[in-house]
Amino acid sequence: PPNGGPPRPPQNAPFNRAKDRVIAIKQSKRMETKEINLRYAFFSQRGFYPDDPFKPNQDSFCVHESTSQIKSQNGVVKMDSMFGVFDGHGKDGHHCAQFTRHHLPLQTKLALNKARAETDANQDLNREQIHNALLRAHIDTNIMLHRNPQIDDSLSGTTAITAYFHGRRNRITIANVGDSRAVIGSVPPNSSGAP
């Protein structure tokens, strides 16, 4: 590259076009648990960096429609779901966000299973138990990220915002680290759903 600037794209390659910076689904998806019916979508657009046209998208997300299941008379019923958004920052922010996307749901499942093992099998976890399990999962994921020798998180990291849906209790728990926020909307039962 001239003057030590950013590398030039291969000939005929897209050069930082908006459409090449977007990750999205074409149509929202529906999900139903025992008590919750919801619709979700995702859209992420990498920022425009004229001095670094090939900078990776530092955002990531996860969708786990069924983190636990119960057996009912009619078969298996999906119970709990988890959605997360991770906004990386710093030189290795994209690696931090991807790491968290992969490990936080696993750590959440482990922490919830541990809490369930310590309670009566027929009893749902209460708010405090769920709060403590989500807190433990976030802390453990952060420790794992710090210990990962392949990701330099000394000047990089990620925010995390997760929504944990409890299907049996019809409850939502939001957990957040950093400056990301969750927005949840609802449609009244007799509404057409149109805005």
Side-chain angles (χ1 to χ4, degrees):
N3 302 327
R8 292 194 182 271
Q11 202 164 9
N12 300 329
F15 186 71
N16 212 9
R17 297 178 305 195
K19 72 176 191 168
D20 298 319
R21 300 189 316 259
V22 172
I23 300 169
I25 58 175
K26 294 180 189 234
Q27 183 175 328
S28 63
K29 293 186 178 181
R30 290 186 178 274
M31 187 193 81
E32 295 181 21
T33 65
K34 185 176 180 189
E35 299 290 332
I36 299 174
N37 297 319
L38 61 89
R39 192 168 48 192
Y40 67 90
F42 57 85
F43 178 93
S44 177
Q45 181 172 357
R46 179 180 61 84
F48 178 69
Y49 299 91
D51 59 332
D52 190 0
F54 299 105
K55 182 176 181 174
N57 187 343
Q58 293 191 306
D59 300 339
S60 193
F61 64 92
C62 67
V63 175
H64 295 272
E65 289 189 4
S66 180
T67 58
S68 66
Q69 300 176 345
I70 61 166
K71 290 185 179 178
S72 70
Q73 294 174 340
N74 300 333
V76 175
V77 178
K78 295 178 183 177
M79 289 304 301
D80 299 339
S81 305
M82 182 177 170
F83 299 83
V85 174
F86 314 103
D87 180 10
H89 53 269
K91 180 179 172 262
D92 289 329
H94 56 294
H95 294 302
C96 296
Q98 290 292 326
F99 181 93
T100 304
R101 168 195 175 159
H102 178 74
H103 291 280
L104 182 59
L106 298 173
Q107 292 303 311
T108 298
K109 191 170 186 172
L110 287 172
L112 289 167
N113 286 342
K114 182 177 179 187
R116 286 185 184 109
E118 296 170 356
T119 62
D120 180 4
N122 296 323
Q123 187 177 3
D124 285 337
L125 297 178
N126 62 36
R127 288 180 185 176
E128 182 179 354
Q129 290 169 310
I130 291 170
H131 174 267
N132 289 338
L134 292 174
L135 178 63
R136 181 82 259 152
H138 281 75
I139 290 170
D140 289 347
T141 301
N142 192 45
I143 290 169
M144 291 169 62
L145 177 61
H146 287 318
R147 291 180 178 165
N148 187 315
Q150 310 200 324
I151 300 175
D152 180 7
D153 70 335
S154 59
L155 296 175
S156 299
T158 186
T159 66
I161 182 78
T162 56
Y164 182 71
F165 289 82
H166 320 273
R168 192 182 312 190
R169 291 256 178 150
N170 203 18
R171 185 184 300 151
I172 302 169
T173 301
I174 305 294
N176 105 301
V177 176
D179 61 359
S180 295
R181 300 289 178 258
V183 178
I184 299 173
S186 65
V187 178
N190 295 331
S191 172
S192 68

